[in-house]
């Protein structure tokens, strides 16, 4: 065996992201020092990104089961039953660090990677979503980052032919040095044609398909498991480069091969590339694996086994085939002009063995590599200790607004509420011809092709709530995803997530993580809304911006629901003159942590609005029933900005139809962000149960009746809403 162990110095170990204790464990479990190839493999498999070593203790506490869940966390993506022998397969992933370093390719390859997670299980991707967080718009780098990320998402998704149907984009100074780019893909498969990653069958051939391996993305998983420092730009070579046209070919070739009953196991080469895919396949199947590195298709001369195993070149898959199927499979991939190579076989050794130029260059027992990766119970502050650390001020006396109309215009022009048309017009949301709603509503709705069913999809999180109170913020993230699905008439079924946090070795950051997960878990249990897949992204902070500044805790939630009859889908736009506007969930009492408080008074004070989970469920079920029975003709979840912003968004959607509201008693009533609420409209004379009538539709203003002071013309609202992105991008 090639034994280049003399080069393994403490500096080399540290450069691979391993602690002294972790390296000692490796030596002990191998009963010898690793060579450089083996060290590299351990470093990526034991990275935070691949091993979840700081998070898996707490992830185990999340609810993951329900009668409609076919497969929960642990595979490439989660799977739920949507009836008629059909399954929905979906997942959300992060590509934060690469997108900050190289925004176009970072975002593009994030989309490519999450697409592969879904189609590797046998699903045809039907929709993409995203959840984006950026820093201050006046930050010198932010315009470049926004333009690059949006172009990368659009460029990859549009070319690969999968619609990008919605998402969310928010801004806060906490993301100045570490933006978040979370991508979600949803696919549909036959329930009896789902593919998993467990390799079985000693002697079965292992095949490599897709693009050739290059030197891009080496140590990408390790880079994604550390925070940023002043040398950020030097990490550019760790960012992968994507090719959406090759991805489209790969989708079609894989789905064609999947129809032939030739595949034993299949795995995307994502983070850590050939290493993670081969290790996970062998470990999941309880077998060994032997690879001939001379057979790996390479696009660069002189690549070493170390580079081949750690490369994160895109558009590649690893498969175990049934014996004798190689020639037929190769013909399919050759037809689609993709590489195909038999690079190894399944063994019964329980080891990963790599051969190169006639030598064994790696021999690692798979147990220690996969199953025995470190699991840390990181120290974290108690809730009371965290509250003292976060120094969130109690909400003091707030002056009443002197002009709620002017405040409404300012809110509608703010970065967090302004129209995202500039973003979503760069995405092809209609390709495949099954998208039933344009971006901008509460949830995207995509028809299940050839049926009356539709999938509703949303991404949600309110990081400022999670910072002020991680537990309530975690509950709210789940509850808002639930509300958004209910608001289009869908039955919420399951959740994927992307848990974006700072350095878990800081007890205050770990308190955010633990608190958010506790809140998420309680909300999922109360709402029958299990978590079936997800991703953890830690170390999202930057020393370069001064003093180790961490992002706000951002547990981004991707929710999926089902409409049995898409013709009953609800949308947010007002429909008819004279319809009653009804409030479900009661008037507001909480301005704490509201956008009004932040944008108008420049304060981020007070407690996160509490989330009553019984109320969330009851109101969601009421709204779905009203939609199903055709008693309401427009529905919108009340969230950021409160009732007045909700009314404005409903007025600007579709027809630009105004509203005449009953006199508004207080600033809290206008802009409070109490949870569990919806605005619905119903034809004149129709009574909406358990709701308060607050006005009616009509005219071209948002105004108060009986001489109230609110009087905002819709053209002024439209100009306010459109101005932020237009002026920023054209400026």
């Amino acid at each position: 065996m090639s034994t280049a162990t003399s080069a393994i110095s403490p500096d080399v170990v540290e450069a691979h992201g391993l602690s002294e204790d972790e390296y000692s464990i490796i030596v002990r479990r191998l009963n010898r020092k690793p060579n450089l190839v083996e060290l590299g493999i351990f470093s990526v498999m034991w990275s935070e990104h691949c091993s979840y070593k700081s998070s898996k203790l707490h992830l185990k506490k999340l609810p993951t089961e329900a009668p409609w869940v076919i497969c929960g966390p642990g595979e490439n993506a989660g799977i739920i039953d949507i009836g008629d022998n059909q399954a929905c397969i979906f997942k959300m992933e992060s590509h934060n660090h690469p997108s900050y370093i190289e925004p176009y390719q970072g975002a593009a390859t994030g989309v490519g990677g999450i697409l592969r997670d879904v189609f590797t299980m046998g699903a045809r991707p039907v929709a993409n979503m995203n959840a984006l967080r950026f820093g201050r718009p006046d930050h010198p780098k932010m315009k470049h980052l926004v333009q690059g990320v949006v172009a990368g998402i659009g460029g990859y998704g549009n070319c690969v032919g999968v619609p990008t149907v919605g998402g969310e984009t928010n801004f806060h100074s906490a993301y100045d040095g570490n933006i978040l780019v979370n991508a979600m893909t949803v696919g549909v498969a036959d329930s009896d044609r789902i593919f998993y990653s467990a390799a079985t069958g000693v002697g079965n051939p292992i095949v490599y398909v897709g693009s050739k391996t290059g030197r891009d993305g080496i140590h990408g998983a390790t880079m994604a498991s550390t925070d940023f420092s002043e040398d950020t730009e030097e990490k550019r070579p760790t960012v992968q480069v994507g090719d959406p046209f090759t991805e489209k070919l790969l989708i079609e070739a894989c789905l064609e091969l999947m129809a032939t009953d030739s595949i034993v196991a299949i795995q995307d080469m994502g983070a850590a590339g050939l290493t993670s895919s081969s290790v996970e396949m062998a470990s999941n199947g309880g077998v060994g694996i032997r690879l001939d590195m001379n057979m790996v298709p390479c696009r660069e001369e002189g690549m070493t086994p170390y580079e081949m195993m750690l490369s994160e070149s895109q558009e590649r898959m690893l498969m175990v085939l049934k014996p004798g199927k190689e020639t037929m499979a190769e013909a399919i991939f050759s037809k689609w002009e993709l590489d195909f190579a038999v690079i190894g076989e399944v063994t019964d050794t329980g080891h990963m063995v790599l051969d190169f130029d006639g030598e064994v260059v790696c021999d690692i027992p798979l147990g220690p590599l996969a199953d025995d990766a470190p699991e840390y119970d990181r120290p974290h502050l108690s809730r009371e200790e965290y509250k003292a650390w976060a120094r969130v001020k109690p909400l003091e006396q707030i002056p009443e607004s002197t002009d709620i109309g002017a405040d409404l215009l300012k809110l509608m022009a703010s970065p967090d509420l302004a129209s995202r048309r500039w973003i979503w017009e760069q995405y092809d949301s209609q390709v495949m011809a099954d998208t039933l709603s344009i971006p901008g509503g509460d949830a995207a709705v995509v028809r299940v092709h050839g049926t009356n069913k539709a999938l509703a999809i949303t991404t949600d999180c309110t990081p400022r709530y999670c910072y002020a109170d991680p537990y309530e913020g975690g509950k709210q993230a789940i509850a808002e995803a639930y509300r958004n699905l209910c608001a289009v008439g869908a039955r919420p079924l399951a959740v994927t997530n992307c848990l974006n946090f700072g350095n878990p070795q800081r007890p205050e950051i770990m308190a955010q993580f633990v608190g958010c997960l506790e809140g998420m878990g309680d909300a999922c249990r109360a709402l029958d809304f299990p978590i079936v897949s997800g991703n953890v992204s830690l170390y999202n902070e930057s020393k370069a911006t001064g003093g180790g500044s961490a992002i706000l805790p951002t547990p981004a939630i991707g929710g999926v629901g089902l409409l049995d009859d898409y013709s009953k889908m609800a949308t947010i736009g007002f429909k008819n003159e004279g319809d009653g506007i009804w409030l479900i969930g009661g008037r507001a009492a909480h301005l704490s942590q509201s956008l009004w408080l932040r944008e108008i008074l420049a304060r981020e004070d007070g407690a996160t609005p509490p989330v009553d989970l019984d109320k969330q469920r009851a109101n969601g079920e009421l709204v779905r029933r009203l939609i199903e029975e055709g008693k309401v003709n427009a529905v919108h979840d009340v969230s950021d900005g409160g009732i007045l912003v909700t009314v404005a968004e409903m007025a600007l959607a579709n027809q630009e139809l105004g509203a005449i509201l009953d006199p508004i008693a207080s600033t809290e009533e206008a802009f409070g962000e109490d949870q569990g609420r919806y605005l619905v409209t119903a034809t004149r004379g129709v009574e909406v149960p358990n709701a308060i009538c607050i006005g009616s539709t009509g005219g071209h203003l948002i105004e108060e009746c009986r001489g109230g002071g609110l009087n905002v013309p819709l053209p002024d609202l439209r100009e306010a809403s459109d101005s932020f992105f237009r002026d920023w991008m054209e400026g």
Side-chain angles (χ1 to χ4, degrees):
M1 177 173 173
S2 178
T3 58
T5 57
S6 58
I8 310 300
S9 67
D11 288 345
V12 170
V13 172
E14 183 180 2
H16 281 74
L18 293 164
S19 69
E20 289 182 21
D21 287 345
E22 288 168 346
Y23 181 69
S24 297
I25 294 169
I26 293 169
V27 172
R28 192 161 62 247
R29 289 179 180 172
L30 290 179
N31 202 27
R32 58 177 173 80
K33 290 183 177 181
N35 64 30
L36 191 60
V37 175
E38 294 167 334
L39 183 73
I41 289 171
F42 269 103
S43 78
V44 292
M45 291 306 299
W46 284 16
S47 69
E48 201 74 64
H49 194 77
C50 292
S51 74
Y52 298 99
K53 58 191 175 187
S54 295
S55 57
K56 58 188 172 185
L57 177 71
H58 303 285
L59 295 173
K60 294 172 185 175
K61 303 171 187 175
L62 294 171
T64 61
E65 297 179 348
W68 52 89
V69 174
I70 296 172
C71 178
E75 275 289 341
N76 287 291
I79 312 174
I80 55 174
D81 188 344
I82 57 172
D84 308 309
N85 192 42
Q86 290 181 308
C88 174
I89 300 180
F90 64 102
K91 189 182 181 185
M92 181 186 277
E93 271 273 9
S94 63
H95 232 221
N96 304 334
H97 285 52
S99 298
Y100 186 83
I101 297 168
E102 188 7 86
Y104 184 94
Q105 289 296 347
T109 52
V111 173
I114 197 64
L115 282 165
R116 290 193 299 280
D117 278 339
V118 168
F119 76 73
T120 191
M121 302 198 73
R124 178 169 291 280
V126 299
N128 288 331
M129 294 277 281
N130 52 72
L132 312 177
R133 262 86 192 178
F134 296 104
R136 292 167 294 138
D138 60 358
H139 185 282
K141 193 171 181 177
M142 212 50 57
K143 182 176 175 179
H144 162 73
L145 289 172
V146 172
Q147 290 173 328
V149 165
V150 171
I153 291 170
Y156 205 100
N158 296 353
C159 291
V160 84
V162 177
T164 301
V165 295
E168 56 174 346
T169 304
N170 297 110
F171 297 84
H172 192 281
S173 59
Y175 305 100
D176 281 356
N178 199 124
I179 64 173
L180 301 185
V181 176
N182 297 171
M184 178 179 174
T185 293
V186 177
V188 175
D190 292 339
S191 297
D192 57 359
R193 299 292 297 167
I194 293 170
F195 293 81
Y196 298 96
S197 62
T200 57
V202 173
N204 281 350
I206 297 168
V207 300
Y208 169 122
V209 300
S211 291
K212 288 180 167 60
T213 295
R215 291 188 170 97
D216 53 322
I218 293 173
H219 276 299
T222 308
M223 180 269 292
S225 304
T226 59
D227 53 18
F228 280 141
S229 58
E230 288 77 2
D231 65 348
T232 296
E233 289 300 316
E234 296 174 15
K235 296 179 178 178
R236 192 174 299 273
T238 64
V239 178
Q240 310 92 328
V241 178
D243 179 352
F245 299 105
T246 299
E247 182 103 342
K248 174 63 174 171
L249 300 177
L250 189 59
I251 292 172
E252 300 303 332
C254 286
L255 292 177
E256 182 175 339
L257 183 61
M258 286 167 171
T260 68
D261 196 32
S262 301
I263 298 173
V264 174
I266 181 169
Q267 179 79 19
D268 159 46
M269 289 192 219
L274 186 53
T275 290
S276 63
S277 56
S278 56
V279 169
E280 288 165 11
M281 290 174 78
S283 298
N284 291 345
V287 296
I289 192 167
R290 189 175 192 105
L291 302 180
D292 182 349
M293 303 308 293
N294 292 97
M295 301 304 294
V296 174
C298 293
R299 68 168 180 259
E300 299 183 44
E301 292 292 326
M303 288 193 69
T304 65
Y306 178 96
E307 293 170 325
M308 294 179 212
M309 291 303 292
L310 270 58
S311 167
E312 293 185 9
S313 294
Q314 297 292 287
E315 294 88 39
R316 303 179 301 156
M317 311 285 279
L318 198 64
M319 300 181 185
V320 176
L321 296 183
K322 293 180 179 178
K325 300 291 187 179
E326 299 93 324
T327 301
M328 181 266 294
E330 183 172 12
I332 290 174
F333 282 88
S334 295
K335 180 184 74 173
W336 291 101
E337 300 180 344
L338 296 166
D339 274 280
F340 178 99
V342 178
I343 65 168
E345 64 179 7
V346 177
T347 69
D348 60 1
T349 64
H351 281 229
M352 167 186 269
V353 178
L354 308 180
D355 297 319
F356 183 66
D357 288 348
E359 285 190 88
V360 173
V361 294
C362 170
D363 187 345
I364 299 175
L366 286 163
L369 187 58
D371 302 332
D372 300 337
E375 179 177 315
Y376 296 127
D377 185 359
R378 302 280 193 195
H380 57 87
L381 304 182
S382 68
R383 288 189 190 175
E384 287 305 311
E385 289 170 335
Y386 176 80
K387 185 184 292 186
W389 173 84
R391 294 195 296 274
V392 177
K393 297 178 183 176
L395 193 65
E396 299 169 356
Q397 186 66 33
I398 299 174
E400 285 291 324
S401 171
T402 57
D403 187 338
I404 61 172
D407 289 354
L408 175 60
L409 287 169
K410 186 171 182 179
L411 281 170
M412 293 297 288
S414 68
D416 275 5
L417 289 175
S419 168
R420 270 72 178 126
R421 185 181 293 107
W422 178 87
I423 294 176
W424 53 257
E425 283 185 346
Q426 298 184 54
Y427 303 154
D428 187 342
S429 64
Q430 303 303 310
V431 65
M432 300 178 77
D434 282 319
T435 305
L436 299 176
S437 60
I438 64 170
D442 283 314
V445 181
V446 177
R447 175 174 44 216
V448 179
H449 196 75
T451 75
N452 293 324
K453 298 180 298 190
L455 295 169
I457 313 160
T458 186
T459 57
D460 285 290
C461 183
T462 311
R464 65 183 185 277
Y465 291 173
C466 295
Y467 182 85
D469 186 330
Y471 176 73
E472 287 295 334
K475 284 166 61 180
Q476 191 274 342
I478 295 291
E480 184 162 350
Y482 180 89
R483 287 200 305 274
N484 283 344
L485 297 173
C486 290
V488 298
R491 182 170 71 258
L493 290 179
V495 168
T496 184
N497 60 57
C498 203
L499 305 175
N500 308 275
F501 291 82
N503 185 337
Q505 297 175 60
R506 295 168 56 189
E508 62 273 17
I509 300 297
M510 205 62 204
Q512 295 173 348
F513 186 86
V514 172
C516 283
L517 261 65
E518 287 178 350
M520 289 165 54
D522 285 351
C524 288
R525 280 181 279 270
L527 300 173
D528 267 350
F529 201 25
I531 294 174
V532 298
S533 61
N535 167 244
V536 178
S537 175
L538 301 176
Y539 295 94
N540 287 291
E541 48 188 270
S542 174
K543 296 183 178 70
T545 58
S549 58
I551 63 164
L552 297 180
T554 311
I557 302 301
V560 173
L562 181 68
L563 290 94
D564 295 319
D565 181 355
Y566 65 74
S567 70
K568 296 183 177 181
M569 173 187 77
T571 56
I572 73 171
F574 290 152
K575 302 300 187 296
N576 314 299
E577 289 262 356
D579 285 348
I581 303 173
W582 297 80
L583 171 64
I584 294 172
R587 300 187 191 275
H590 290 87
L591 274 173
S592 55
Q593 294 299 330
S594 66
L595 278 186
W596 180 85
L597 192 65
R598 190 181 85 191
E599 297 296 325
I600 305 302
L601 299 185
R603 290 167 53 180
E604 297 187 42
D605 301 354
T608 295
V611 180
D612 182 331
L613 294 170
D614 292 336
K615 174 181 172 181
Q616 295 286 335
R617 182 159 188 160
N619 290 349
E621 290 173 349
L622 170 62
V623 166
R624 296 204 306 273
R625 187 166 66 250
L626 292 170
I627 294 169
E628 172 71 22
E629 295 172 355
K631 292 183 177 177
V632 295
N633 53 32
V635 182
H636 197 5
D637 150 57
V638 180
S639 55
D640 283 351
I643 287 175
L644 263 194
V645 166
T646 306
V647 169
E649 290 172 342
M650 296 176 83
L652 292 178
N654 304 331
Q655 301 186 65
E656 298 207 354
L657 182 62
I660 303 105
L661 304 175
D662 293 343
I664 297 168
S666 66
T667 309
E668 286 177 341
E669 186 174 322
F671 301 113
E673 295 179 7
D674 295 54
Q675 298 295 296
R677 302 188 300 155
Y678 303 80
L679 283 187
V680 303
T681 58
T683 304
R684 190 196 310 265
V686 173
E687 291 282 325
V688 178
N690 302 318
I692 305 164
C693 187
I694 65 167
S696 62
T697 61
H700 301 286
L701 307 168
I702 305 292
E703 59 181 323
E704 288 175 288
C705 64
R706 298 193 291 276
L710 177 63
N711 190 306
V712 181
L714 292 189
D716 292 356
L717 268 180
R718 172 66 69 196
E719 169 60 21
S721 180
D722 288 347
S723 62
F724 168 68
F725 274 104
R726 181 197 65 211
D727 295 350
W728 189 29
M729 292 303 164
E730 292 179 2

